Amino acid sequence: MVATALAAPTPSTAQATATVRGTVVDAQNAAIPGAGIDVVCGTAQRRTRTNAAGQFSLSGLPAAACSVTATSDRFEPLTRDVNLQPGDVAVALELQVQAFTADVLVTPSRGSEQGAAGLAESTSVTTRAEIDSRPYTLLAQVLREEPGIYVQQTTSAQVSPIIRGFTGQSNVYLVDGVRYNQAAWRSGPSQYLSWIEGAAIDRIEVVRGAGSVQYGSDALGGTFNLMSAPPLFSRDSLQTAGNAELFFGSGDESAGAQGEVSFRTSRATLQVGGSGRRVGDLRAGGGLDSHSALTRYFDLPSTVLYSRQPDTDFRQGGAFAIANLNAGRAASVRALFMHEDQNGASRYDRVLGGQGVYRSGFDPQSLDFGFVRYQNANVPGLDGVSATVSLNRQADGRFEQSRPTSSLDTQTATTRTFGYQLQGQRSVGSRQFLVFGTDIYRESLTDASRAIITQAGVSTPNRPDIPNGTGYNSAGVFVQDAFDVLPNRLQLKGGLRFDRFAFSTVEDRVLGVTEENVVQQAFTFQTAAVVRVADGLNATVNVTKGLRAANSADLGSVGLTGGAGFSIAPTTAAALGGQVGTTAAAGAVSTGALVPDLGPEQVYQYEVGLKAST
């Protein structure tokens, strides 16, 4: 790094003004255009940027002791103190390329941060900068560019990532480590992840493979942790900042805006923001829609009836607030709340873009999600403790009408989940780190109703897919241990978890709902090792058991399914003497085995690998 001042002191002219000129180059003496230059002289501050030749100039500065700071993406910032004198002062600044840093994740190992290279799991991080650089209408669409993740979209307003062959209810989704999944989620790809307010998310951590030891049920394919920005407190006085964005897309005639404003002091921060967008009908590639019922059933091009895919438009908007409080020595409080509404979403796979029904859709859809978390790193006997209380309310409305002359089938339901998490951590000696805790989620499905409305306007109550009053409670305890057997050479990691799940329904004789109580329980485990083979090269071994407990949709759903089958409660099937078929297709024949009690799905994962960084 080089900084030279080319002027002699002239004390008698302290009140005169000075000009600072200079160049910013890299280690190969190549100019760095667009570098930020900040000159601070006492309370005076000036800012500029380098031109295409890496040069800058600022005049009208006081002849005094000043600092010159140069910053640029991918380079380490550099600050030099310079005594400015009347006339010109030249400064040459040489920036060094940023040192390689591994992504730091908290998702694979609850309670601690760890670099990706030191983890046995396969991981990736999508940063805010990457989110902003990728075009998306729904936040999860940014995952298309992550290796090993396929983003499935049945409809324009639905996004469901597929990882290692699993999607929907077979992956765990978290917001700042708080469970987002609900037991009312149906099987297969689903729309629920689309409701997350994208403006509130700073990064997405993805852990591939079973993660049930850390987060319980559903973690078969992987774990997606959507994380908000960490708190940034000011040194003393109040600081404010904000941004606003407008966007437009020609492919789907979409338009919208998002913005946020933040307030920071030395004790507290507050960030509020939101977004709104209207998405129009999508223009198919080349003007032809290969999903069209016209093409699939009549071998006609979709352009016979339309140039844009009908019923692919929708509207979505929401707001969020994130607050942080410095609660004293080593203690803090963090609160987050987000609300999102989505309206006008059509099941394009069911209407003209698929099975040809008259109309089918999700409307309305809404989310209220929030939590309050207390953390303290100064607890006797522990290195830290955190306690979290959360609310997760998801409202799901649906409708379908097969033909203009047929009846309209509508149903709505609201699922509320109250969550409670308690976690502690403790170092044992200098080479062992324990994390242990419990999480409890109490879920209730309310306001569930279904009506069949005839052309004459007559409405007949019907049994909802999942009965009103259904409850689903889960509770788990876990412990995980990381042990540096040979410092900087061999680390072992192990974990054990026990979960209990309780499903219940309330009798409704009018709608044919019987009272049921189903309890499931299961153990999961993880053992892993990371061996440093050489500098920048680690060998990993990971053996994990994951689970997905039968949820409310599995145990309580009755009626036609999207695949044209018919779902029946397992206990009802067993009571009727039902038998297991050879397949799930229409041509299945009985195996002669009686339908068993439905228990958790389980997967055993055996994984070895090499991780190289350079």
Side-chain angles (χ1 to χ4, degrees):
M1 301 180 183
V2 179
T4 56
L6 307 178
T10 312
S12 61
T13 57
Q15 301 302 316
T17 61
T19 297
V20 61
R21 307 178 189 276
T23 58
V24 180
V25 298
D26 62 15
Q28 306 302 318
N29 203 35
I32 302 178
I37 302 296
D38 289 279
V39 179
V40 179
C41 304
T43 59
Q45 181 174 348
R46 298 281 301 279
R47 176 173 295 176
T48 188
R49 287 189 177 276
T50 58
N51 60 21
Q55 301 170 340
F56 67 92
S57 175
L58 278 173
S59 58
L61 297 168
C66 303
S67 66
V68 181
T69 301
T71 57
S72 182
D73 289 343
R74 309 301 182 187
F75 291 89
E76 298 286 354
L78 175 62
T79 299
R80 281 290 182 240
D81 294 329
V82 179
N83 288 318
L84 296 184
Q85 303 297 329
D88 287 358
V89 175
V91 179
L93 300 170
E94 180 183 301
L95 302 189
Q96 301 297 314
V97 176
Q98 282 181 343
F100 174 82
T101 56
D103 290 325
V104 176
L105 297 95
V106 298
T107 305
S109 300
R110 291 180 62 158
S112 64
E113 295 182 348
Q114 195 168 358
L119 294 166
E121 297 89 347
S122 174
T123 62
S124 63
V125 177
T126 304
T127 65
R128 184 71 240 184
E130 291 170 324
I131 292 173
D132 290 337
S133 69
R134 299 174 183 178
Y136 70 92
T137 302
L138 304 170
L139 176 63
Q141 290 172 334
V142 304
L143 296 172
R144 287 172 172 160
E145 298 188 38
E146 294 298 333
I149 300 176
Y150 174 75
V151 176
Q152 190 270 0
Q153 278 199 261
T154 302
T155 71
S156 58
Q158 166 265 337
V159 177
S160 193
I162 297 175
I163 183 169
R164 295 192 171 179
F166 294 95
T167 190
Q169 59 179 211
S170 296
N171 294 321
V172 161
Y173 305 96
L174 311 166
V175 177
D176 280 344
V178 177
R179 185 180 181 85
Y180 180 70
N181 296 52
Q182 290 191 327
W185 287 12
R186 65 185 185 279
S187 62
S190 57
Q191 77 276 24
Y192 307 107
L193 195 59
S194 305
W195 304 347
I196 297 290
E197 174 54 56
I201 302 305
D202 183 67
R203 59 193 269 129
I204 303 174
E205 295 187 355
V206 180
V207 182
R208 294 159 179 80
S212 295
V213 167
Q214 288 80 15
Y215 302 105
S217 179
D218 303 348
L220 295 181
T223 302
F224 297 80
N225 196 358
L226 290 75
M227 305 181 70
S228 59
L232 295 174
F233 296 97
S234 69
R235 291 185 177 179
D236 39 34
S237 60
L238 173 67
Q239 295 181 348
T240 61
N243 70 71
E245 301 176 24
L246 299 175
F247 48 86
F248 171 77
S250 60
D252 55 6
E253 296 182 329
S254 62
Q258 70 179 36
E260 64 179 74
V261 61
S262 61
F263 307 89
R264 303 170 184 169
T265 71
S266 60
R267 292 292 306 275
T269 71
L270 175 64
Q271 179 186 7
V272 295
S275 67
R277 65 181 59 84
R278 183 193 179 281
V279 179
D281 288 337
L282 181 67
R283 182 181 64 241
L288 296 175
D289 176 14
S290 61
H291 296 278
S292 175
L294 292 172
T295 302
R296 298 173 62 210
Y297 298 140
F298 303 106
D299 199 25
L300 295 173
S302 59
T303 49
V304 170
L305 289 183
Y306 57 85
S307 59
R308 287 184 176 269
Q309 297 169 301
D311 297 322
T312 53
D313 61 314
F314 67 94
R315 301 173 304 282
Q316 184 164 332
F320 71 92
I322 305 172
N324 297 277
L325 174 66
N326 186 340
R329 181 184 176 186
S332 64
V333 177
R334 181 175 178 85
L336 174 147
F337 181 79
M338 65 174 69
H339 172 81
E340 195 82 358
D341 287 303
Q342 188 185 88
N343 296 280
S346 174
R347 284 288 305 270
Y348 190 62
D349 63 314
R350 299 281 289 161
V351 294
L352 192 57
Q355 298 178 356
V357 304
Y358 176 54
R359 56 175 172 162
S360 177
F362 300 120
D363 193 30
Q365 312 267 278
S366 68
L367 169 71
D368 290 298
F369 183 95
F371 67 84
V372 177
R373 174 174 294 148
Y374 172 80
Q375 293 178 290
N376 195 328
N378 186 30
V379 178
L382 295 175
D383 295 330
V385 66
S386 69
T388 306
V389 178
S390 61
L391 166 68
N392 183 4
R393 173 192 171 276
Q394 300 179 13
D396 186 2
R398 310 178 201 178
F399 64 89
E400 183 158 303
Q401 188 174 9
S402 58
R403 298 181 304 279
T405 56
S406 62
S407 298
L408 175 65
D409 184 351
T410 67
Q411 60 177 312
T412 61
T414 300
T415 306
R416 292 180 180 86
T417 304
F418 291 95
Y420 311 90
Q421 294 176 299
L422 182 63
Q423 179 175 302
Q425 53 205 53
R426 177 179 171 80
S427 297
V428 181
S430 60
R431 294 189 294 170
Q432 194 169 4
F433 186 71
L434 288 170
V435 179
F436 47 88
T438 181
D439 34 52
I440 300 170
Y441 293 94
R442 301 179 62 86
E443 180 176 313
S444 60
L445 190 145
T446 61
D447 306 322
S449 64
R450 184 175 190 174
I452 307 298
I453 305 173
T454 67
Q455 288 291 302
V458 178
S459 178
T460 304
N462 219 303
R463 184 193 191 280
D465 282 351
I466 304 175
N468 190 48
T470 293
Y472 195 92
N473 299 328
S474 64
V477 292
F478 69 90
V479 60
Q480 69 179 36
D481 182 17
F483 181 35
D484 288 325
V485 180
L486 299 174
N488 201 32
R489 177 64 65 179
L490 170 63
Q491 183 187 69
L492 298 181
K493 177 183 174 182
L496 185 65
R497 183 185 181 99
F498 172 76
D499 283 290
R500 183 181 186 274
F501 310 92
F503 164 84
S504 63
T505 57
V506 179
E507 182 182 28
D508 187 333
R509 295 184 179 181
V510 175
L511 298 180
V513 180
T514 59
E515 181 180 351
E516 290 189 71
N517 292 279
V518 179
V519 175
Q520 309 162 77
Q521 40 190 43
F523 280 97
T524 51
F525 68 87
Q526 179 188 22
T527 58
V530 178
V531 181
R532 186 175 70 85
V533 179
D535 289 342
L537 181 65
N538 290 342
T540 64
V541 179
N542 189 19
V543 180
T544 307
K545 176 186 177 183
L547 75 92
R548 188 187 77 83
N551 65 10
S552 297
D554 299 314
L555 295 167
S557 180
V558 171
L560 291 171
T561 66
F566 191 89
S567 177
I568 186 172
T571 52
T572 303
L576 295 173
Q579 298 180 349
V580 178
T582 53
T583 69
V589 296
S590 174
T591 61
L594 294 177
V595 173
D597 292 335
L598 198 59
E601 295 179 57
Q602 301 181 47
V603 61
Y604 291 87
Q605 170 186 291
Y606 308 90
E607 193 170 21
V608 295
L610 288 173
K611 290 190 175 185
S613 58
T614 183

